[in-house]
Amino acid sequence: MISRAAESCFWLHRYVERVESSARMLQVNLGLLLDLDLPAFERWRPVLIVAGEQPRFESLFGAKATDDAETVQDYLTWNEDNPVSILTSLRWGRENARTIRETISLEMWETLNAFWLWLSGKEARRLYRQDRHAFYQRVREHCLLFLGTWESTMPEGEAFDFMRLGLYLERAGQTARILDVKHHTLGPWTGQVETHVDNVQWLAILRSCSASEPFFKGNAQLSGPAVAAFLLLARGFPRSVRCCIDRAGDSLARIREQGPSPVAGERLGVRDDVGKRSATVLAMLRDHFAKRSIADVVASGLHEELTGLIEWVTDACDAVHADFFDPPVDALMASLVAPPQGRASELEG
Amino acid sequence: MRYPAARVATKDHPRSRAKMHVPSASPAPTTRGRRGPPPKPPTSSRGGAGAPSAGRKTGLFAGYRPPVDTYDEIFDARGAPRPGLDRVVRLLEGIGPNELRTRQRLADEAFLKSGVTFSVYADQRGVERIFPFDLVPRVVSAREWEPVRRGLEQRVRALNAFLADVYGDQRILAEGRIPRHLVEASKGFLPAMRGIRPPGGVYVHVAGIDLIRRPDGTLVVLEDNVRTPSGVSYVLENRTVMKRVLPRIFAEARVRPVDEYPLRLREALVSVSPVEPTGTRTVILTPGQHNSAYFEHTFLARRMGCDLVQGQDLFVWHDKVYVKTTRGPSRVDVIYRRVDDAFLDPEVFRADSLLGVPGLVRAYAKGNVAIANAIGNGVADDKAVYPFVPEMVRFYLSEEPLLPQVETYVCDREKDLSYVLANLPSLVVKSVDESGGYGMLMGPQASKKELAEHARRIRQSPRGYIAQPLVELSSCPTWCGNGIAPRRVDLRPYVVTGRSTWVLPGGLTRVALVEGSYVVNSSQGGGSKDTWVLEDQPR
């Protein structure tokens, strides 16, 4: 498919995933604060850190404002100077969808457009003022509706897999970030004795990943290592980092397998090494998880592990970009060195 | 795309264009009670009451009267439906004002939800608006449409022959039928295209020929658009919404379908491909999502099943065009471009263009790619060349023109120039290479200062201006929030040409929604209507 369209597929799903993830985290944090009597600085600052927005926020509103619940929520939900606010992410998600309307299904477009019309309209603002919890819930529902519509209406193929690749790489990063909240709230975690406050927080983190029920179904006891093990290593839970990497890897493999398009036929200058760099990075990640145990993670430090993972995921995204989205024209021309045969006779005939 | 790209306006979009015709008749009614009686007849500021009512209109059209001295599309001067339209008028009458109001709201919601919008440039964030849609259709009988269809076909054939000639032997110039300097001075004339024969000899793959109706009822050509005419997506979307909100009426009305347009266009494009049809890769080239017609580009790509590309997605290697795909480069054979000539190839035209593809013209000249519409078509829709179109019909086709056009004074001709300067207050003056109503003077409404200023400019560069007498646009019944009132309309039919020519039944009817206004431009209160060309055999 057209490289630029593939890039928009990838980013469309990254943005929608980002919207859902932010809404979930804000919603869970609201609930958490009801259960705990945390010092002011521990209430909303971690959410800013996880979003990677603490520096910009402080430069805009001052360091003191990180204590202010309304300012932080407003910033993460509505602020258009914040590149990852819910509103901005959705705007860009929709812009990407708009550039590939010929690629996505009509239903996906209509679902996303209805979401945008709602979020940018008065009704969403009213709900935000009146019932914050219900507001974030609605945002999440819209995202899930979009993802369900996508799976139910989009034909399988390259475009579908680029969307899936974007979705799971973004989600892997988001889960890693959420798990890291603990570090930013209570400082370095050693896996030692845990308090009531710890437990409530671990529970909140599970909820942030829609993971509390799946976690307890697995008969696990609530503890730091158990939660970290679940969110990092669980197989088949769609938000565990490992599962996200597996799914992203599957999509990448399918993208690489797909043959030349029938229209282009033998005129395509196919490169055998297509997607090689991305595949290498993802293979390393998969390999890492295959060998990793939670004891290794505790030993090396959870925060360090997560920081490493987040960087790794970023590398994977960069590799996908270089492999598929922005191939240098020189390289493309080099792949065409032998002019395709058969064309000249076609023209003469 | 992660970041917004540069914004570029296309000149030829119908929405970015003001088309004005000076009112010579009375304004429409100004007062109407919210729940009061049906709309009152227009009161004239110039004397003369509204047309005498035949008094037979009921339901939706009760009390409807077109302005005096205006041709109404649906009703004659006595208030009776025009020939062939009775059946449809009876169907429409059955809808009450309340029901119409509800249906109109449903239609507006449908447009917003499906994202049938255009961008407004003024706002940095590119606010999208829906193109206002009026539910009352403009109806054309089969009998009336047939000669229009033939006239359009003829006109496009002549324009195509003209382009092949001016970029070839230039017979028409050699024989003095069109002044050579007029053509050579046209900004749309690109000498670099001379001697390049486009695949299949087709220049005008898509034409939008703007028609208006004189008070005497004749449809006349106001201008030709043979570069990148747009608006056809609205014709198709209007129809879709119309069917959804007025299904019962639509089912009874027997209207010719418009849905096949994308397939016809695709067929036409593939028919001029330099390679065999089955192996042809056709792409649509768009300036990007900030272009005001972007919705249309995506719409056509979806409905034609082609890839939508931007300049950055293409490159030229050894005079062949390739698109960058995730699997590597892939050959492109046909480009339906919605990018203006000037931006197409920085090697030949504007060097600062980021929207084009370096080397594209070389590939085109070698015959390795078909480009629709052809490069250099601007010379054929230059406003100063327009007066010579009837001459082209006679010269190339040995036929008499079937469609009349508006009388035009070319200031470049001395005789015309003195007439224009002497009669400026009664004329409309247009700048030849500008669209969007820029550089236009409405004589009757202009101040003395404006007249003097324009006279000075015309004297300075006569080639840059033409003048036309004022033309009264026809009216059509239109929903105005409380009832039905007359509003001015024009019509842009679309003509698709590959190995053969096909005319879309109807076209885009634009309507000046503001009372008494003649501006059909959407940014100034213009909207559109569904255009119904009826099947000829009553059921």
Side-chain angles (χ1 to χ4, degrees):
Chain A
M1 66 185 297
I2 310 288
S3 297
R4 187 183 39 76
E7 184 175 15
S8 281
C9 289
F10 183 79
W11 277 96
L12 165 59
H13 276 54
R14 286 195 71 176
Y15 278 119
V16 172
E17 179 60 23
R18 222 173 252 185
V19 169
E20 210 256 342
S21 190
S22 306
R24 203 151 16 82
M25 200 152 58
L26 288 162
Q27 189 187 30
V28 169
N29 206 48
L30 281 170
L32 174 69
L33 297 178
L34 298 176
D35 289 337
L36 282 182
D37 188 21
L38 290 172
F41 73 92
E42 280 184 15
R43 290 170 171 238
W44 289 98
R45 198 175 52 100
V47 181
L48 275 175
I49 295 171
V50 168
E53 279 300 303
Q54 193 187 11
R56 196 193 324 263
F57 179 87
E58 288 184 359
S59 75
L60 283 169
F61 304 102
K64 193 84 189 77
T66 54
D67 302 347
D68 186 71
E70 282 304 311
T71 312
V72 175
Q73 287 176 70
D74 183 86
Y75 178 76
L76 291 175
T77 308
W78 302 111
N79 195 305
E80 304 206 31
D81 296 326
N82 172 4
V84 297
S85 76
I86 289 176
L87 188 68
T88 316
S89 297
L90 185 63
R91 179 194 297 286
W92 284 110
R94 180 172 172 275
E95 275 301 298
N96 276 281
R98 225 158 75 76
T99 65
I100 48 169
R101 273 194 68 173
E102 80 291 356
T103 304
I104 64 175
S105 70
L106 183 63
E107 291 83 356
M108 283 169 76
W109 166 254
E110 285 177 347
T111 308
L112 193 67
N113 194 43
F115 183 12
W116 169 251
L117 292 174
W118 173 76
L119 189 72
S120 59
K122 286 190 189 117
E123 205 194 312
R125 294 275 177 170
R126 200 179 309 126
L127 189 61
Y128 178 81
R129 282 194 306 272
Q130 288 169 353
D131 186 344
R132 195 66 51 90
H133 184 85
F135 169 81
Y136 289 125
Q137 185 65 26
R138 186 76 65 83
V139 170
R140 294 179 53 193
E141 284 166 4
H142 273 295
C143 294
L144 296 174
L145 180 63
F146 174 79
L147 293 178
T149 305
W150 163 59
E151 292 219 86
S152 306
T153 58
M154 182 85 190
E156 284 180 10
E158 240 187 318
F160 182 90
D161 277 311
F162 273 111
M163 292 171 184
R164 201 164 173 269
L165 185 61
L167 173 72
Y168 284 110
L169 286 180
E170 177 69 25
R171 190 177 284 174
Q174 292 288 353
T175 298
R177 286 196 167 88
I178 289 170
L179 198 46
D180 211 19
V181 166
K182 184 76 176 139
H183 169 82
H184 296 294
T185 311
L186 294 179
W189 170 69
T190 55
Q192 302 304 311
V193 187
E194 310 213 22
T195 64
H196 157 73
V197 174
D198 285 318
N199 280 342
V200 171
Q201 277 205 320
W202 285 122
L203 204 52
I205 283 168
L206 282 173
R207 285 202 198 105
S208 292
C209 299
S210 304
S212 66
E213 290 180 18
F215 175 82
F216 289 112
K217 273 184 196 138
N219 239 345
Q221 293 294 313
L222 189 63
S223 72
V227 169
F230 188 79
L231 290 180
L232 283 177
L233 306 176
R235 293 197 118 152
F237 173 64
R239 293 191 178 278
S240 84
V241 179
R242 180 185 200 169
C243 180
C244 291
I245 296 300
D246 282 347
R247 292 187 181 184
D250 295 343
S251 280
L252 180 68
R254 277 199 297 273
I255 289 166
R256 297 187 72 206
E257 276 162 21
Q258 269 154 20
S261 83
V263 176
E266 83 287 358
R267 298 184 285 143
L268 196 68
V270 181
R271 298 171 295 155
D272 329 322
D273 61 339
V274 118
K276 198 170 171 188
R277 194 176 141 192
S278 324
T280 311
V281 180
L282 276 176
M284 278 160 63
L285 265 164
R286 278 177 125 161
D287 219 37
H288 171 80
F289 280 114
K291 293 179 194 141
R292 202 74 171 158
S293 75
I294 195 62
D296 301 334
V297 175
V298 172
S300 64
L302 181 60
H303 177 63
E304 288 68 25
E305 172 85 8
L306 293 170
T307 309
L309 276 178
I310 290 165
E311 275 168 20
W312 226 334
V313 169
T314 309
D315 286 349
C317 291
D318 290 348
V320 169
H321 186 87
D323 280 344
F324 297 104
F325 304 152
D326 196 15
V329 172
D330 298 352
L332 290 178
M333 288 186 180
S335 74
L336 286 168
V337 166
Q341 299 302 305
R343 290 290 288 190
S345 57
E346 274 168 31
L347 282 176
E348 284 151 16
Chain B
M1 185 265 342
R2 268 168 294 171
Y3 310 106
R7 247 156 237 268
V8 174
T10 355
K11 276 202 252 157
D12 222 21
H13 194 248
R15 265 167 245 348
S16 57
R17 211 148 55 126
K19 196 175 278 180
M20 296 166 59
H21 305 280
V22 166
S24 61
S26 58
T30 50
T31 49
R32 240 176 261 131
R34 273 186 61 205
R35 292 187 173 203
K40 291 191 180 73
T43 48
S44 174
S45 57
R46 273 210 196 163
S53 170
R56 298 189 29 90
K57 290 193 290 291
T58 54
L60 196 62
F61 299 115
Y64 177 80
R65 283 189 204 182
V68 282
D69 300 334
T70 296
Y71 184 93
D72 190 80
E73 294 291 333
I74 310 290
F75 296 104
D76 66 19
R78 292 161 26 82
R82 295 205 175 268
L85 307 187
D86 326 31
R87 202 165 45 83
V88 169
V89 167
R90 274 201 309 278
L91 283 170
L92 292 168
E93 272 170 356
I95 322 172
N98 283 331
E99 190 181 346
L100 193 78
R101 185 179 294 118
T102 311
R103 307 262 160 193
Q104 179 73 56
R105 208 187 58 233
L106 289 174
D108 292 346
E109 278 170 16
F111 279 112
L112 195 61
K113 279 194 180 142
S114 56
V116 184
T117 54
F118 64 96
S119 313
V120 181
Y121 288 126
D123 189 296
Q124 272 303 306
R125 292 219 163 84
V127 169
E128 296 156 39
R129 299 223 181 113
I130 63 167
F131 186 23
F133 171 66
D134 180 67
L135 212 48
V136 185
R138 181 223 200 118
V139 190
V140 182
S141 70
R143 223 168 133 186
E144 195 184 11
W145 179 248
E146 184 50 27
V148 176
R149 187 190 63 76
R150 278 188 289 123
L152 291 167
E153 232 178 71
Q154 179 197 52
R155 193 169 176 99
V156 171
R157 248 187 306 141
L159 289 167
N160 202 80
F162 170 70
L163 285 163
D165 190 21
V166 289
Y167 290 118
D169 299 341
Q170 302 195 331
R171 279 197 306 130
I172 202 165
L173 308 185
E175 295 191 20
R177 307 287 279 267
I178 299 178
R180 178 178 291 275
H181 66 274
L182 202 76
V183 167
E184 286 176 350
S186 168
K187 278 197 186 156
F189 178 66
L190 306 176
M193 294 298 116
R194 200 109 190 249
I196 299 178
R197 195 183 126 84
V202 182
Y203 287 81
V204 185
H205 308 77
V206 183
I209 308 291
D210 291 350
L211 303 176
I212 55 175
R213 204 195 285 271
R214 281 192 188 131
D216 68 2
T218 26
L219 279 165
V220 300
V221 176
L222 178 69
E223 67 181 58
D224 304 293
N225 296 279
V226 296
R227 283 166 289 163
T228 55
S230 64
V232 74
S233 58
Y234 297 95
V235 175
L236 273 63
E237 287 287 354
N238 286 354
R239 179 60 57 83
T240 305
V241 169
M242 197 73 171
K243 283 187 195 160
R244 198 188 302 171
V245 301
L246 292 175
R248 198 179 50 77
I249 289 177
F250 201 89
E252 300 269 314
R254 300 192 24 86
V255 179
R256 282 196 197 158
V258 293
D259 265 353
E260 58 186 314
Y261 179 90
L263 296 177
R264 293 278 192 166
L265 177 56
R266 185 179 160 149
E267 268 171 34
L269 294 174
V270 170
S271 79
V272 296
S273 167
V275 301
E276 81 286 359
T278 47
T280 292
R281 190 194 257 271
T282 304
V283 298
I284 299 181
L285 177 63
T286 173
Q289 72 272 26
H290 299 290
N291 184 270
S292 64
Y294 183 73
F295 165 76
E296 176 154 309
H297 308 160
T298 64
F299 176 90
L300 290 172
R302 279 187 292 132
R303 299 285 290 266
M304 292 163 65
C306 315
D307 282 314
L308 182 65
V309 303
Q310 302 182 8
Q312 70 196 65
D313 300 330
L314 302 178
F315 68 94
V316 174
W317 183 78
H318 285 235
D319 301 336
K320 295 183 184 97
V321 184
Y322 292 83
V323 58
K324 299 178 201 168
T325 79
T326 51
R327 317 283 312 164
S330 169
R331 270 293 293 278
V332 171
D333 309 293
V334 179
I335 301 176
Y336 177 45
R337 50 87 175 225
R338 297 296 293 261
V339 172
D340 290 348
D341 284 352
F343 295 95
L344 265 186
D345 182 350
E347 284 183 7
V348 181
F349 307 115
R350 281 181 62 160
D352 61 341
S353 171
L354 299 174
L355 304 173
V357 187
L360 187 60
V361 169
R362 276 188 280 119
Y364 177 62
K366 284 265 171 77
N368 286 338
V369 66
I371 296 180
N373 286 356
I375 305 173
N377 279 10
V379 66
D381 63 16
D382 184 302
K383 289 188 179 71
V385 172
Y386 158 92
F388 298 93
V389 178
E391 197 52 34
M392 296 174 196
V393 174
R394 293 183 197 105
F395 184 76
Y396 298 112
L397 313 178
S398 305
E399 294 171 15
E400 271 307 301
L402 299 170
L403 286 173
Q405 60 180 51
V406 180
E407 192 184 354
T408 302
Y409 305 96
V410 182
C411 299
D412 199 38
R413 290 191 288 205
E414 211 155 304
K415 172 171 68 97
D416 288 10
L417 177 64
S418 46
Y419 177 86
V420 169
L421 290 173
N423 295 279
L424 215 48
S426 65
L427 294 170
V428 179
V429 178
K430 295 176 182 173
S431 164
V432 295
D433 41 40
E434 292 208 73
S435 49
Y438 297 107
M440 187 151 85
L441 174 84
M442 310 292 292
Q445 293 172 346
S447 68
K448 273 194 175 149
K449 200 177 144 206
E450 284 167 335
L451 289 170
E453 170 62 18
H454 247 80
R456 190 185 59 77
R457 277 195 231 154
I458 294 168
R459 270 194 210 95
Q460 209 167 50
S461 63
R463 173 61 180 85
Y465 296 90
I466 56 136
Q468 294 171 333
L470 307 170
V471 182
E472 183 74 40
L473 297 186
S474 58
S475 67
C476 188
T478 299
W479 176 251
C480 295
N482 303 305
I484 298 289
R487 292 291 183 264
R488 313 278 170 185
V489 292
D490 75 350
L491 178 65
R492 173 180 284 189
Y494 295 86
V495 184
V496 176
T497 303
R499 298 281 170 188
S500 61
T501 293
W502 176 76
V503 181
L504 177 78
L508 183 66
T509 291
R510 290 181 294 182
V511 52
L513 292 172
V514 176
E515 224 166 273
S517 167
Y518 290 68
V519 185
V520 294
N521 178 324
S522 63
S523 63
Q524 298 178 54
S528 73
K529 282 171 169 292
D530 195 8
T531 310
W532 291 4
V533 175
L534 303 180
E535 296 286 2
D536 48 1
Q537 275 156 22
R539 203 173 282 179

